[in-house]
Tab-separated table of all heavy atoms in Angstrom:
chain	number	residue	atom	x	y	z
E	35	LEU	N	-4.950	-3.012	-3.831
E	35	LEU	CA	-3.785	-2.154	-3.645
E	35	LEU	C	-2.574	-2.885	-4.203
E	35	LEU	O	-2.325	-4.039	-3.847
E	35	LEU	CB	-3.590	-1.864	-2.149
E	35	LEU	CG	-2.474	-0.901	-1.765
E	35	LEU	CD1	-2.863	-0.147	-0.505
E	35	LEU	CD2	-1.156	-1.608	-1.562
E	36	GLY	N	-1.838	-2.220	-5.076
E	36	GLY	CA	-0.651	-2.836	-5.663
E	36	GLY	C	0.409	-1.805	-5.983
E	36	GLY	O	0.183	-0.594	-5.866
E	37	LEU	N	1.560	-2.295	-6.415
E	37	LEU	CA	2.691	-1.448	-6.810
E	37	LEU	C	3.077	-0.422	-5.744
E	37	LEU	O	3.550	0.661	-6.071
E	37	LEU	CB	2.407	-0.714	-8.127
E	37	LEU	CG	2.538	-1.501	-9.420
E	37	LEU	CD1	2.184	-0.639	-10.617
E	37	LEU	CD2	3.927	-2.083	-9.586
E	38	LEU	N	2.869	-0.761	-4.489
E	38	LEU	CA	3.290	0.158	-3.436
E	38	LEU	C	4.808	0.293	-3.516
E	38	LEU	O	5.535	-0.683	-3.381
E	38	LEU	CB	2.870	-0.349	-2.055
E	38	LEU	CG	3.276	0.535	-0.881
E	38	LEU	CD1	2.610	1.904	-0.974
E	38	LEU	CD2	2.923	-0.131	0.429
E	39	THR	N	5.264	1.496	-3.765
E	39	THR	CA	6.678	1.748	-4.010
E	39	THR	C	7.123	2.984	-3.262
E	39	THR	O	6.469	4.025	-3.351
E	39	THR	CB	6.932	1.979	-5.523
E	39	THR	OG1	6.405	0.881	-6.266
E	39	THR	CG2	8.404	2.156	-5.821
E	40	VAL	N	8.242	2.869	-2.561
E	40	VAL	CA	8.880	4.011	-1.922
E	40	VAL	C	10.334	4.023	-2.387
E	40	VAL	O	10.994	2.974	-2.396
E	40	VAL	CB	8.805	3.918	-0.384
E	40	VAL	CG1	9.603	5.038	0.276
E	40	VAL	CG2	7.359	3.958	0.078
E	41	ASP	N	10.819	5.173	-2.783
E	41	ASP	CA	12.224	5.325	-3.153
E	41	ASP	C	13.065	4.633	-2.072
E	41	ASP	O	12.898	4.921	-0.885
E	41	ASP	CB	12.545	6.818	-3.224
E	41	ASP	CG	13.990	7.118	-3.556
E	41	ASP	OD1	14.887	6.359	-3.149
E	41	ASP	OD2	14.237	8.153	-4.202
E	42	PRO	N	13.959	3.696	-2.459
E	42	PRO	CA	14.717	2.942	-1.460
E	42	PRO	C	15.498	3.819	-0.477
E	42	PRO	O	15.691	3.432	0.674
E	42	PRO	CB	15.673	2.079	-2.290
E	42	PRO	CG	15.032	1.969	-3.621
E	42	PRO	CD	14.261	3.250	-3.822
E	43	THR	N	15.915	4.983	-0.898
E	43	THR	CA	16.680	5.858	0.000
E	43	THR	C	15.781	6.586	0.989
E	43	THR	O	16.269	7.233	1.910
E	43	THR	CB	17.487	6.898	-0.794
E	43	THR	OG1	16.585	7.765	-1.505
E	43	THR	CG2	18.433	6.224	-1.782
E	44	ARG	N	14.452	6.479	0.818
E	44	ARG	CA	13.499	7.152	1.699
E	44	ARG	C	12.651	6.171	2.511
E	44	ARG	O	11.702	6.575	3.167
E	44	ARG	CB	12.579	8.061	0.888
E	44	ARG	CG	13.304	9.226	0.250
E	44	ARG	CD	12.325	10.049	-0.577
E	44	ARG	NE	12.956	11.137	-1.261
E	44	ARG	CZ	12.930	12.397	-0.849
E	44	ARG	NH1	12.306	12.723	0.256
E	44	ARG	NH2	13.524	13.340	-1.546
E	45	GLN	N	12.970	4.883	2.453
E	45	GLN	CA	12.181	3.897	3.181
E	45	GLN	C	12.425	4.012	4.674
E	45	GLN	O	13.447	4.526	5.112
E	45	GLN	CB	12.491	2.494	2.671
E	45	GLN	CG	11.927	2.274	1.280
E	45	GLN	CD	12.138	0.885	0.764
E	45	GLN	OE1	12.513	-0.023	1.492
E	45	GLN	NE2	11.885	0.695	-0.522
E	46	ALA	N	11.468	3.528	5.435
E	46	ALA	CA	11.488	3.536	6.903
E	46	ALA	C	11.306	4.944	7.451
E	46	ALA	O	11.664	5.217	8.592
E	46	ALA	CB	12.764	2.894	7.453
E	47	GLY	N	10.694	5.831	6.652
E	47	GLY	CA	10.445	7.193	7.111
E	47	GLY	C	8.967	7.542	7.202
E	47	GLY	O	8.622	8.689	7.445
E	48	GLY	N	8.089	6.570	6.969
E	48	GLY	CA	6.658	6.813	7.085
E	48	GLY	C	5.931	7.034	5.771
E	48	GLY	O	4.700	7.112	5.757
E	49	LEU	N	6.656	7.129	4.662
E	49	LEU	CA	6.001	7.388	3.379
E	49	LEU	C	5.121	6.222	2.934
E	49	LEU	O	4.038	6.427	2.397
E	49	LEU	CB	7.036	7.723	2.296
E	49	LEU	CG	6.487	8.080	0.932
E	49	LEU	CD1	5.493	9.243	0.992
E	49	LEU	CD2	7.623	8.397	-0.036
E	50	GLY	N	5.542	4.989	3.175
E	50	GLY	CA	4.722	3.834	2.808
E	50	GLY	C	3.372	3.869	3.503
E	50	GLY	O	2.337	3.618	2.885
E	51	ARG	N	3.381	4.184	4.778
E	51	ARG	CA	2.129	4.291	5.550
E	51	ARG	C	1.233	5.367	4.955
E	51	ARG	O	0.021	5.168	4.793
E	51	ARG	CB	2.453	4.601	7.011
E	51	ARG	CG	1.233	4.795	7.884
E	51	ARG	CD	1.598	5.184	9.306
E	51	ARG	NE	2.614	6.214	9.419
E	51	ARG	CZ	2.383	7.528	9.274
E	51	ARG	NH1	1.179	7.959	9.020
E	51	ARG	NH2	3.359	8.397	9.391
E	52	LEU	N	1.828	6.518	4.593
E	52	LEU	CA	1.031	7.599	4.004
E	52	LEU	C	0.480	7.210	2.637
E	52	LEU	O	-0.649	7.583	2.295
E	52	LEU	CB	1.876	8.875	3.899
E	52	LEU	CG	2.303	9.502	5.228
E	52	LEU	CD1	3.250	10.676	4.984
E	52	LEU	CD2	1.097	9.931	6.038
E	53	LEU	N	1.247	6.470	1.856
E	53	LEU	CA	0.760	5.993	0.564
E	53	LEU	C	-0.419	5.044	0.734
E	53	LEU	O	-1.393	5.114	-0.018
E	53	LEU	CB	1.887	5.313	-0.221
E	53	LEU	CG	2.820	6.248	-0.972
E	53	LEU	CD1	4.143	5.564	-1.292
E	53	LEU	CD2	2.148	6.753	-2.245
E	54	ILE	N	-0.347	4.159	1.718
E	54	ILE	CA	-1.466	3.244	1.972
E	54	ILE	C	-2.704	4.041	2.368
E	54	ILE	O	-3.806	3.778	1.881
E	54	ILE	CB	-1.099	2.211	3.047
E	54	ILE	CG1	-0.108	1.201	2.478
E	54	ILE	CG2	-2.341	1.485	3.561
E	54	ILE	CD1	0.429	0.217	3.503
E	55	GLU	N	-2.547	5.009	3.249
E	55	GLU	CA	-3.685	5.837	3.661
E	55	GLU	C	-4.280	6.579	2.469
E	55	GLU	O	-5.510	6.659	2.328
E	55	GLU	CB	-3.255	6.820	4.751
E	55	GLU	CG	-2.942	6.147	6.068
E	55	GLU	CD	-2.286	7.078	7.088
E	55	GLU	OE1	-2.082	8.288	6.795
E	55	GLU	OE2	-1.962	6.593	8.188
E	56	ALA	N	-3.435	7.112	1.591
E	56	ALA	CA	-3.925	7.808	0.396
E	56	ALA	C	-4.650	6.834	-0.529
E	56	ALA	O	-5.697	7.162	-1.104
E	56	ALA	CB	-2.768	8.492	-0.333
E	57	ALA	N	-4.115	5.613	-0.672
E	57	ALA	CA	-4.744	4.600	-1.526
E	57	ALA	C	-6.107	4.203	-0.974
E	57	ALA	O	-7.076	4.046	-1.732
E	57	ALA	CB	-3.842	3.371	-1.635
E	58	GLU	N	-6.200	4.047	0.338
E	58	GLU	CA	-7.478	3.679	0.951
E	58	GLU	C	-8.513	4.788	0.763
E	58	GLU	O	-9.674	4.516	0.433
E	58	GLU	CB	-7.268	3.366	2.428
E	58	GLU	CG	-6.473	2.095	2.644
E	58	GLU	CD	-5.989	1.876	4.073
E	58	GLU	OE1	-6.155	2.794	4.926
E	58	GLU	OE2	-5.438	0.796	4.334
E	59	ALA	N	-8.094	6.033	0.930
E	59	ALA	CA	-9.008	7.163	0.716
E	59	ALA	C	-9.447	7.224	-0.742
E	59	ALA	O	-10.628	7.471	-1.037
E	59	ALA	CB	-8.337	8.470	1.137
E	60	GLU	N	-8.520	6.981	-1.656
E	60	GLU	CA	-8.841	6.988	-3.090
E	60	GLU	C	-9.815	5.861	-3.424
E	60	GLU	O	-10.760	6.051	-4.190
E	60	GLU	CB	-7.556	6.847	-3.910
E	60	GLU	CG	-7.736	7.075	-5.385
E	60	GLU	CD	-7.927	8.531	-5.767
E	60	GLU	OE1	-7.671	9.436	-4.952
E	60	GLU	OE2	-8.344	8.768	-6.921
E	61	ALA	N	-9.603	4.693	-2.850
E	61	ALA	CA	-10.493	3.551	-3.095
E	61	ALA	C	-11.913	3.865	-2.635
E	61	ALA	O	-12.885	3.529	-3.325
E	61	ALA	CB	-9.962	2.310	-2.381
E	62	ARG	N	-12.025	4.519	-1.475
E	62	ARG	CA	-13.357	4.877	-0.967
E	62	ARG	C	-14.006	5.933	-1.862
E	62	ARG	O	-15.179	5.809	-2.231
E	62	ARG	CB	-13.249	5.395	0.472
E	62	ARG	CG	-13.032	4.314	1.502
E	62	ARG	CD	-13.153	4.829	2.942
E	62	ARG	NE	-12.177	5.856	3.259
E	62	ARG	CZ	-10.967	5.629	3.770
E	62	ARG	NH1	-10.583	4.394	4.027
E	62	ARG	NH2	-10.153	6.622	4.042
E	63	SER	N	-13.269	6.994	-2.193
E	63	SER	CA	-13.883	8.102	-2.924
E	63	SER	C	-14.086	7.804	-4.409
E	63	SER	O	-15.121	8.139	-4.968
E	63	SER	CB	-13.062	9.381	-2.752
E	63	SER	OG	-11.797	9.253	-3.362
E	64	ARG	N	-13.141	7.178	-5.055
E	64	ARG	CA	-13.218	6.936	-6.500
E	64	ARG	C	-14.065	5.724	-6.845
E	64	ARG	O	-14.803	5.733	-7.832
E	64	ARG	CB	-11.817	6.775	-7.082
E	64	ARG	CG	-11.785	6.637	-8.606
E	64	ARG	CD	-10.374	6.435	-9.116
E	64	ARG	NE	-9.550	7.610	-8.971
E	64	ARG	CZ	-9.115	8.358	-9.985
E	64	ARG	NH1	-9.448	8.047	-11.224
E	64	ARG	NH2	-8.350	9.404	-9.764
E	65	PHE	N	-13.955	4.647	-6.041
E	65	PHE	CA	-14.594	3.381	-6.379
E	65	PHE	C	-15.655	2.948	-5.373
E	65	PHE	O	-16.192	1.849	-5.500
E	65	PHE	CB	-13.539	2.283	-6.521
E	65	PHE	CG	-12.471	2.583	-7.551
E	65	PHE	CD1	-11.132	2.568	-7.202
E	65	PHE	CD2	-12.806	2.885	-8.855
E	65	PHE	CE1	-10.147	2.838	-8.136
E	65	PHE	CE2	-11.828	3.154	-9.810
E	65	PHE	CZ	-10.496	3.140	-9.439
E	66	ALA	N	-15.942	3.765	-4.367
E	66	ALA	CA	-16.902	3.426	-3.311
E	66	ALA	C	-16.561	2.092	-2.655
E	66	ALA	O	-17.440	1.314	-2.283
E	66	ALA	CB	-18.333	3.421	-3.853
E	67	ALA	N	-15.280	1.834	-2.510
E	67	ALA	CA	-14.825	0.573	-1.922
E	67	ALA	C	-15.045	0.566	-0.416
E	67	ALA	O	-14.879	1.588	0.252
E	67	ALA	CB	-13.346	0.354	-2.239
E	68	THR	N	-15.401	-0.595	0.077
E	68	THR	CA	-15.547	-0.800	1.519
E	68	THR	C	-14.491	-1.770	2.051
E	68	THR	O	-14.373	-1.949	3.258
E	68	THR	CB	-16.943	-1.343	1.862
E	68	THR	OG1	-17.153	-2.568	1.132
E	68	THR	CG2	-18.023	-0.326	1.497
E	69	ARG	N	-13.757	-2.402	1.122
E	69	ARG	CA	-12.687	-3.332	1.484
E	69	ARG	C	-11.526	-3.143	0.511
E	69	ARG	O	-11.738	-2.807	-0.651
E	69	ARG	CB	-13.151	-4.790	1.388
E	69	ARG	CG	-14.275	-5.153	2.311
E	69	ARG	CD	-14.800	-6.565	2.042
E	69	ARG	NE	-15.399	-6.651	0.710
E	69	ARG	CZ	-15.129	-7.593	-0.194
E	69	ARG	NH1	-14.279	-8.563	0.069
E	69	ARG	NH2	-15.729	-7.596	-1.368
E	70	MET	N	-10.317	-3.375	1.018
E	70	MET	CA	-9.121	-3.308	0.174
E	70	MET	C	-8.379	-4.625	0.330
E	70	MET	O	-8.241	-5.139	1.446
E	70	MET	CB	-8.220	-2.159	0.624
E	70	MET	CG	-6.948	-1.990	-0.187
E	70	MET	SD	-7.194	-1.066	-1.712
E	70	MET	CE	-7.027	0.596	-1.083
E	71	GLU	N	-7.915	-5.177	-0.790
E	71	GLU	CA	-7.110	-6.385	-0.721
E	71	GLU	C	-5.786	-6.154	-1.425
E	71	GLU	O	-5.641	-5.220	-2.213
E	71	GLU	CB	-7.831	-7.599	-1.313
E	71	GLU	CG	-7.831	-7.658	-2.816
E	71	GLU	CD	-8.311	-9.001	-3.372
E	71	GLU	OE1	-8.842	-9.848	-2.621
E	71	GLU	OE2	-8.158	-9.195	-4.586
E	72	MET	N	-4.837	-7.015	-1.105
E	72	MET	CA	-3.541	-7.002	-1.772
E	72	MET	C	-3.000	-8.416	-1.772
E	72	MET	O	-3.486	-9.273	-1.023
E	72	MET	CB	-2.567	-6.069	-1.048
E	72	MET	CG	-2.159	-6.557	0.332
E	72	MET	SD	-0.926	-5.543	1.126
E	72	MET	CE	-1.906	-4.146	1.574
E	73	THR	N	-2.004	-8.638	-2.611
E	73	THR	CA	-1.294	-9.907	-2.597
E	73	THR	C	0.168	-9.623	-2.266
E	73	THR	O	0.729	-8.614	-2.698
E	73	THR	CB	-1.398	-10.640	-3.949
E	73	THR	OG1	-0.947	-9.775	-5.002
E	73	THR	CG2	-2.822	-11.088	-4.221
E	74	VAL	N	0.754	-10.519	-1.472
E	74	VAL	CA	2.144	-10.387	-1.049
E	74	VAL	C	2.798	-11.748	-1.218
E	74	VAL	O	2.181	-12.782	-0.916
E	74	VAL	CB	2.238	-9.943	0.435
E	74	VAL	CG1	3.687	-9.726	0.855
E	74	VAL	CG2	1.412	-8.691	0.687
E	75	ILE	N	4.033	-11.761	-1.688
E	75	ILE	CA	4.748	-13.023	-1.831
E	75	ILE	C	4.899	-13.656	-0.451
E	75	ILE	O	5.349	-13.014	0.493
E	75	ILE	CB	6.130	-12.794	-2.492
E	75	ILE	CG1	5.942	-12.261	-3.926
E	75	ILE	CG2	6.938	-14.092	-2.517
E	75	ILE	CD1	7.233	-11.819	-4.589
E	76	ARG	N	4.492	-14.902	-0.342
E	76	ARG	CA	4.467	-15.616	0.940
E	76	ARG	C	5.810	-15.544	1.684
E	76	ARG	O	5.837	-15.444	2.907
E	76	ARG	CB	4.092	-17.080	0.714
E	76	ARG	CG	4.097	-17.913	1.991
E	76	ARG	CD	3.926	-19.390	1.710
E	76	ARG	NE	2.812	-19.613	0.826
E	76	ARG	CZ	1.708	-20.268	1.155
E	76	ARG	NH1	1.585	-20.791	2.337
E	76	ARG	NH2	0.736	-20.437	0.299
E	77	GLN	N	6.900	-15.579	0.964
E	77	GLN	CA	8.228	-15.579	1.588
E	77	GLN	C	8.603	-14.226	2.200
E	77	GLN	O	9.609	-14.110	2.875
E	77	GLN	CB	9.295	-15.967	0.547
E	77	GLN	CG	9.238	-17.428	0.140
E	77	GLN	CD	8.226	-17.741	-0.951
E	77	GLN	OE1	7.355	-16.950	-1.286
E	77	GLN	NE2	8.317	-18.938	-1.500
E	78	ARG	N	7.800	-13.200	2.004
E	78	ARG	CA	8.103	-11.850	2.494
E	78	ARG	C	7.479	-11.624	3.869
E	78	ARG	O	6.683	-10.725	4.080
E	78	ARG	CB	7.578	-10.809	1.501
E	78	ARG	CG	7.963	-11.010	0.045
E	78	ARG	CD	9.310	-10.495	-0.362
E	78	ARG	NE	9.684	-9.246	0.210
E	78	ARG	CZ	9.321	-8.034	-0.239
E	78	ARG	NH1	8.547	-7.919	-1.287
E	78	ARG	NH2	9.739	-6.943	0.362
E	79	SER	N	7.841	-12.433	4.853
E	79	SER	CA	7.205	-12.402	6.170
E	79	SER	C	7.350	-11.043	6.862
E	79	SER	O	6.420	-10.597	7.540
E	79	SER	CB	7.748	-13.523	7.052
E	79	SER	OG	9.154	-13.423	7.163
E	80	GLU	N	8.475	-10.380	6.691
E	80	GLU	CA	8.664	-9.068	7.308
E	80	GLU	C	7.678	-8.043	6.731
E	80	GLU	O	7.114	-7.228	7.462
E	80	GLU	CB	10.107	-8.615	7.033
E	80	GLU	CG	10.681	-7.682	8.058
E	80	GLU	CD	12.152	-7.421	7.766
E	80	GLU	OE1	12.955	-8.368	7.805
E	80	GLU	OE2	12.481	-6.254	7.492
E	81	LEU	N	7.459	-8.112	5.428
E	81	LEU	CA	6.523	-7.197	4.780
E	81	LEU	C	5.083	-7.537	5.172
E	81	LEU	O	4.278	-6.633	5.431
E	81	LEU	CB	6.701	-7.260	3.262
E	81	LEU	CG	5.904	-6.256	2.442
E	81	LEU	CD1	6.219	-4.818	2.857
E	81	LEU	CD2	6.191	-6.459	0.961
């Protein structure tokens, strides 16, 4: 999972969560994935 992006004026409204759920469903259906990984910059503790 990468490039997760939400319009800055729409953040904190639940869209990021919905995008992750859509990405997970896509990974299962398109790629038969059973696991999802991502990389996050270590300094981004809040994220």
Side-chain angles (χ1 to χ4, degrees):
L35 184 149
L37 282 178
L38 179 63
T39 306
V40 174
D41 178 326
T43 64
R44 294 178 183 259
Q45 289 183 12
L49 183 56
R51 177 184 45 80
L52 294 174
L53 278 160
I54 288 174
E55 291 170 1
E58 291 168 353
E60 190 74 14
R62 284 189 299 269
S63 66
R64 185 182 291 250
F65 303 124
T68 57
R69 298 173 295 131
M70 180 82 85
E71 78 169 11
M72 68 175 74
T73 55
V74 183
I75 296 172
R76 178 189 311 245
Q77 289 84 346
R78 310 277 320 277
S79 57
E80 207 174 297
L81 186 57

